[in-house]
Each structure stands twice: as C-alpha cells, then as structure tokens.
Amino acid sequence: IHTMVRTRDILWIGTVGGLVRFDIRSRTFRRFRISNSDYRLNHVTALERLSDDRLLVGTRYNGLLQYSISKETFLPVALGGGEYSDGYVRSIYKDIDGLFWLGFDYQGLLAFRYNKGTCALLEHEKRLEGIDCKRIAVFLQSRDKSFWVGSNGNGLFRFDPAAGRYTAYRHAHQDPRSISQNSILSIFEDRSGNIWIGTYAGGINRIIRDQKRFEVIKNQPGNRNSLSNSTVFSVYEDSNE
C-alpha cells in the first residue's frame, strides 16, 4: 500500500496491484486494474481527490491518470511533454490556492490547475524554481503558507513565499543538530504547527525552528521503548492531546 484517499464513504487505496476501493459501510473490497496485459502498469503510487466523481492517480510506469468513479475508467492526463507521460509520480498535493503539485522521480516538480474536467498545465512555476533537485518524494504546504519539499537523497527544502527565500536542510555528519537523513519519505504538520519529517533509515525528525535544529527519534537496538524502526513512511496525529 502506497497511499489512500477518501471520497464520502469510500476509501481508495493505491497498491502495487492497482487501485482498490474499500466500502466503509459494507466493509467490502474491490480492485481496479489499469492494465490486464502488463502487471507493472497497475502500480499506483499517489492519489488525490479531484471531485466526488474523479481521482488523480499517480503511477510508477504510466505517468498521471484521471479515474472516473462513475464510469470506472482510467484516462491519461496530458502533461505537455514526453518526459512526463510515463514518469514515476511519487506524490500529488493540492495546495491552499487549489493548485495541484506533482512530485516526480527524476523530473522534479510540476504544477497545474484543474477546472471543469480539464487539467491546465502551468509551463513554469517560478515560486519553486530554486529547488535544486529532480527526485521529489513528498510535498506539504504548512499553515503559514510555507512550502516543504522532501527529496529522494538530496534533503529537505523550505520555501517562504513572503520572504521569497529558500532554505535547504541536509544531513551533516559533523553536526548533530542537522536532519538525520537526506532521503525524505513523509512530511507532517501537527495541530501545534510542528513539522515532522519521516526519513529512510534516519528515524523521525521534528524541526525546532527557534533553535534552528532537528530533534531526532530513532530505533535504539535493545530498547523496547524506542521507535520500532528507523524508516518512517508516514506520520499521523490522533485525537489525543
């Protein structure tokens, strides 16, 4: 399982074997394949809700697709160039202004608007052109409207739109205050505004902004009360304070 998104009483799940529909009321599953001839093309890596009847579906080998819930059909989304048509879509994110962001492995970031059933590609999104990385894993816009971009191997980036300034966070062996790993798997903002970063083999990091450092929580061998594993794919905050 790579990703999940909900529409009404249906939970949509992206898996290696296709798109899975889970009916919360009847507690039944149903799988939808993108291709019956090539198993690889069924690899769903990212999901985002477009409307009550449409989903954006990111894939590993088939680029970006649009799924019609009522018609049960997949259609390719034209992204304006051959390099994106079969690109590996690692993440899909809808920002505060309704702009959709795609994070590709090797093609970087792409932004577009969705309107009345069509996707209007933005030729160049200048706000994030300073991010020096093409392998994008995850994306978040925090409540202060900052953009946080996690890369696959090149660290974490933050763009402050008010100041027009970029900040790159990378692991430094000689600096214990730095981020613990440069491969970012998840970014989460809790109800208090804290930013949590899940990494590959580097545990989970919490940014201490006023001290310009990271608090790191990792697995500690032999300590049963530590994090069970130092690879953190997702972060979730429950209802308890």
Side-chain angles (χ1 to χ4, degrees), residues 151-207:
S151 74
N152 183 8
N154 203 30
L156 175 71
F157 299 88
R158 174 180 180 258
F159 174 62
D160 180 351
R165 182 175 62 245
Y166 292 90
T167 305
Y169 303 93
R170 295 187 177 95
H171 175 66
H173 292 288
Q174 71 278 12
D175 186 358
R177 301 174 302 171
S178 68
I179 194 167
S180 63
Q181 234 279 358
N182 286 329
S183 291
I184 311 301
L185 298 176
S186 56
I187 308 175
F188 179 79
E189 182 180 23
D190 66 24
R191 64 173 64 94
S192 299
N194 297 304
I195 302 296
W196 298 82
I197 312 298
T199 70
Y200 177 79
I204 188 168
N205 294 245
R206 181 170 73 97
I207 300 176

Side-chain angles (χ1 to χ4, degrees), residues 89-113:
V89 182
R90 292 287 299 264
S91 59
I92 307 173
Y93 185 82
K94 185 178 181 180
D95 71 16
I96 294 170
D97 298 319
L99 198 63
F100 287 92
W101 295 87
L102 304 179
F104 286 87
D105 207 8
Y106 297 109
Q107 285 95 14
L109 280 169
L110 201 63
F112 66 89
R113 292 192 183 278

Side-chain angles (χ1 to χ4, degrees), residues 9-30:
D9 292 324
I10 303 298
L11 187 64
W12 299 92
I13 306 166
T15 75
V16 174
L19 179 65
V20 175
R21 177 185 186 271
F22 175 65
D23 190 310
I24 297 172
R25 291 186 175 181
S26 65
R27 304 187 71 81
T28 56
F29 289 90
R30 185 181 174 194

